[in-house]
């Protein structure tokens, strides 16, 4: 594992970097040196930044804080290698920034967020690229601050097609080999890759072998093809991942990605695919505690809620608070605000205290409260901040003015807050539109506005908890059975009865029922299957797809008809019946 030690010169020595200069571990030896983590937080564009990684890590057991391996957001290698501003806005391992390629010694007081050896490891940094030299140049900036550099071969978006990277490199195996091999031969840390499956098992296996032969120490396999996105996302093919596991060398390290919506899916994926680790992306956005086991019955505390039927999950107001505290502690580097304990129905109900000065001024002579116009880290014309600090004492969360408009922050951790909270609070904002509207008005860096949203969320959750206690039947719940209680005691998020994957049928309804929780509990968003989306009208076939389906239908019908003719002729040769008299298969009873 990466460790940090100070020497007499006040420099922070990164032991991993020094060790890898002498001997770089690769493959399974490298994976085992990390502690063989089985839980993987996926790389997500603008969504797996430091603060969100820390929130996800905060749910890991204290005795195993490094049980979670996390990826950075995908970074564009050309922009990262060429532009200082892009590097400093998107990757912040030091306070001084990344103006030049760093060496292995870092001033201890300069260590900041991304890849911090004491709190943000293990960490893989992911790049998209189509030029080996640009990729290597970009990777050299981050290699002292991460455990491996990853190549994105899975992005299916239109921007990746236009830029010729991600999944749109998968036809150019020569270029993929050159990209990975360039890093493998020149970096002091290992290289890994994240890919999607291809049309057939055999072709996917061959593709994976090319990636491994180039020097990849770990491959992450997303069990969907390139065109499976949006309403066409559908289901990941775990059978394809099992095929790779069974046919690649036994020491190959494989991470599985796809179909991870709730905690129970993690172990099921490991068992069915045989993968070494399992990765979650969208499931983590809706429930950042997805990797954590639920507490035993009776030990829920104030953060975890469990219903009468034994099902439960972390409360949205609790997760929101954790997120805000991480922003204060690490990003803003300010003391945590004093907060009242989270509400429980067993508490004696008292009138809420008046709003504090953190969100709005007190009433003056009966006048309407005036909302604060600027947050504490907003730069004033005088050159100081509302919190009293100056530009010299304020960390690189830069605030810029543009044409007299509201100042904006460049911190990736603050820029991502609104999007993260819309994911996290999705069921809640559907019930409480005032929360939705307040969140929509919140701007990046306006911490006071997000505190206001948090206050509204806490009020909404309190109302929901009280309503549940008064009217549990409104939530479709009954008293738990003995079996459910025993299963809940085992530390599972669900009662286990209906967690079967909906790939076993043609409907997503079973999975929706399995994941459903009251609206104040973190829960996944279950996408409808493509056939359901097509039936509802939310998915429209293109002209090319309609033509393709029509041609396939004609070919299938012609083949079926020929099959019937051949079978009848072989069995009843010379029976005198004309071919036109033989019924089509669709007309045969049964």
């Amino acid at each position: 594992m990466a460790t940090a030690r100070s020497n007499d010169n006040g420099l922070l020595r990164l032991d991993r970097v020094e060790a890898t200069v002498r001997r770089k571990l690769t493959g399974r030896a490298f994976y085992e040196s990390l502690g063989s983590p089985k839980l993987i937080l996926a790389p997500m564009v603008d969504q797996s930044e430091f603060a969100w990684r820390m929130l996800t890590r905060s749910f890991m057991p204290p005795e195993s804080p490094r049980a979670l391996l996390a990826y950075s957001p995908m970074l564009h290698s050309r922009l990262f290698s060429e532009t200082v501003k892009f590097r400093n806005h998107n990757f912040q391992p030091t306070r001084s920034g990344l103006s030049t390629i760093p060496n292995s010694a870092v001033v201890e007081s300069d260590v900041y967020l991304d890849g911090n050896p004491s709190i943000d490891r293990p960490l893989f940094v992911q790049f998209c690229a189509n030029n080996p030299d640009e990729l290597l140049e970009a990777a050299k900036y981050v290699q002292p601050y991460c455990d491996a550099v990853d190549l994105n071969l899975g992005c299916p978006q239109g921007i990746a097609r236009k830029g010729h990277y991600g999944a749109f490199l998968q036809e150019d195996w020569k270029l993929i080999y050159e990209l990975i091999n360039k890093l493998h031969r020149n970096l002091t840390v290992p290289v890994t890759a994240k890919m999607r499956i291809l049309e057939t098992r055999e072709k996917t296996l061959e593709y994976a072998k090319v990636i491994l032969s180039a020097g990849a120490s770990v491959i992450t396999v997303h069990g969907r093809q390139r065109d499976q996105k949006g309403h066409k996302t559908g289901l990941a093919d775990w059978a394809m991942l099992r095929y790779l596991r069974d046919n690649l060398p036994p020491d190959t390290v494989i991470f599985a990605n796809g179909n991870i919506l709730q905690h129970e899916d993690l172990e099921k994926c490991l068992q069915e695919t045989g993968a070494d680790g399992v990765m979650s992306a969208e499931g983590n956005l809706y429930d950042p505690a997805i990797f954590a086991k639920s507490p035993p019955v009776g030990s829920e505390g104030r953060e975890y809620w469990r219903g009468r039927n034994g099902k439960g999950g972390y409360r949205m107001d609790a997760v929101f608070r954790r997120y805000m505290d991480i922003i204060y502690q690490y990003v803003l580097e300010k003391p945590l605000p004093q907060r009242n304990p989270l509400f429980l129905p067993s508490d004696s109900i008292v009138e809420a205290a008046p709003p504090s000065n953190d969100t709005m001024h007190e009433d003056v002579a009966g006048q309407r409260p005036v909302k604060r116009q600027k947050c504490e880290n907003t730069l004033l014309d005088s050159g100081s901040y509302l919190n009293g600090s100056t530009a010299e004492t304020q960390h690189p969360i830069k605030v810029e003015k543009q044409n007299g408009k509201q100042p904006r922050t460049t911190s990736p951790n603050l820029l991502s807050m609104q999007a993260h909270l819309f994911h996290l609070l999705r069921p809640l904002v559907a019930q409480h539109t005032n929360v939705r509207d307040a969140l929509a008005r919140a701007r990046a860096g306006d911490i006071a506005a997000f505190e206001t949203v948090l206050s509204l969320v806490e009020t909404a959750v309190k109302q929901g908890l009280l309503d549940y206690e008064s009217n549990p039947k409104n939530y479709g719940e009954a008293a738990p059975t003995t079996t459910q209680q025993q299963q809940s005691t085992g530390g599972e998020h669900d009662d286990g009865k209906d967690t079967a994957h909906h790939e076993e049928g043609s409907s997503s309804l079973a999975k929706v029922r399995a994941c459903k929780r009251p609206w104040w509990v973190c829960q996944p968003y279950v996408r409808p299957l493509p056939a359901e989306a097509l039936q509802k009208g939310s998915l429209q076939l293109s002209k090319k797809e309609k033509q393709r389906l029509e041609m396939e239908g004609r070919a299938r019908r012609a083949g079926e008809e020929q099959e019937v003719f051949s079978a009848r002729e072989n069995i009843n040769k010379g029976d005198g019946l004309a071919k036109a008299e033989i019924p089509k298969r669709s007309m045969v009873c049964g």
Side-chain angles (χ1 to χ4, degrees), residues 137-318:
E137 183 76 6
K140 286 180 177 180
Y141 281 97
V142 304
Q143 66 176 347
Y145 312 112
C146 65
D147 296 282
V149 173
D150 186 77
L151 176 63
N152 183 311
L153 297 173
C155 181
Q157 304 304 324
I159 188 67
R161 178 194 295 273
K162 187 179 297 185
H164 189 53
Y165 60 80
F168 296 94
L169 294 181
Q170 67 188 27
E171 285 81 22
D172 194 344
W173 291 4
K174 181 176 181 294
L175 175 57
I176 289 174
Y177 183 94
E178 292 173 351
L179 289 166
I180 296 173
N181 192 250
K182 187 86 169 183
L183 298 187
H184 176 61
R185 290 185 291 105
N186 293 281
L187 291 184
T188 59
V189 296
V191 58
T192 65
K194 185 173 186 291
M195 56 173 277
R196 285 187 171 233
I197 62 174
L198 303 182
E199 295 80 10
T200 65
R201 291 183 172 189
E202 294 74 19
K203 194 172 182 180
T204 303
L205 177 61
E206 188 179 357
Y207 181 35
K209 287 180 177 179
V210 170
I211 293 172
L212 292 168
S213 67
S217 291
V218 178
I219 56 169
T220 300
V221 185
H222 189 159
R224 294 183 175 92
Q225 297 183 36
R226 184 170 59 194
D227 64 340
Q228 289 183 266
K229 57 185 178 180
H231 287 299
K232 295 177 63 179
T233 297
L235 296 159
D237 187 351
W238 284 359
M240 181 79 82
L241 274 66
R242 168 57 74 175
Y243 178 80
L244 294 179
R245 171 79 284 170
D246 293 341
N247 289 275
L248 288 171
D251 61 345
T252 303
V253 181
I254 302 176
F255 295 159
N257 182 210
N259 294 352
I260 307 301
L261 294 178
Q262 55 183 158
H263 183 78
E264 292 73 24
D265 297 332
L266 298 170
E267 185 60 33
K268 184 168 185 178
C269 179
L270 290 173
Q271 291 177 356
E272 293 195 14
T273 65
D276 296 280
V278 57
M279 175 181 286
S280 175
E282 193 173 63
N284 167 264
L285 291 179
Y286 291 99
D287 182 6
I290 189 172
F291 296 111
K293 291 183 178 180
S294 61
V297 173
S299 304
E300 293 85 357
R302 294 180 180 268
E303 288 193 318
Y304 192 89
W305 176 90
R306 180 174 279 116
R308 288 171 169 80
N309 63 359
K311 295 183 179 181
Y314 280 88
R315 291 167 44 168
M316 292 180 181
D317 55 348

Side-chain angles (χ1 to χ4, degrees), residues 521-541:
V521 176
C522 295
Q523 56 194 280
Y525 168 56
V526 182
R527 294 180 180 274
L529 297 175
E532 295 172 316
L534 192 62
Q535 185 177 6
K536 293 178 180 178
S538 54
L539 173 62
Q540 300 291 333
L541 294 179

Side-chain angles (χ1 to χ4, degrees), residues 359-426:
T359 54
M360 58 178 59
H361 299 300
E362 295 179 355
D363 292 333
V364 179
Q367 296 179 5
R368 184 178 180 181
V370 180
K371 292 183 180 179
R372 292 177 63 144
Q373 297 300 314
K374 297 182 179 181
C375 64
E376 291 184 349
N377 67 325
T378 298
L379 184 63
L380 302 179
D381 294 336
S382 62
S384 63
Y385 292 82
L386 285 179
N387 62 6
S389 62
T390 63
E392 287 74 19
T393 60
Q394 189 85 356
H395 165 62
I397 302 171
K398 299 180 182 178
V399 180
E400 304 172 359
K401 275 193 174 182
Q402 290 187 334
N403 303 324
K405 296 181 179 179
Q406 181 179 355
R408 65 180 181 86
T409 179
T410 59
S411 168
N413 299 288
L414 300 182
L415 289 170
S416 301
M417 288 181 68
Q418 187 187 61
H420 276 309
L421 291 171
F422 268 118
H423 280 113
L424 180 71
L425 303 175
R426 188 176 187 273

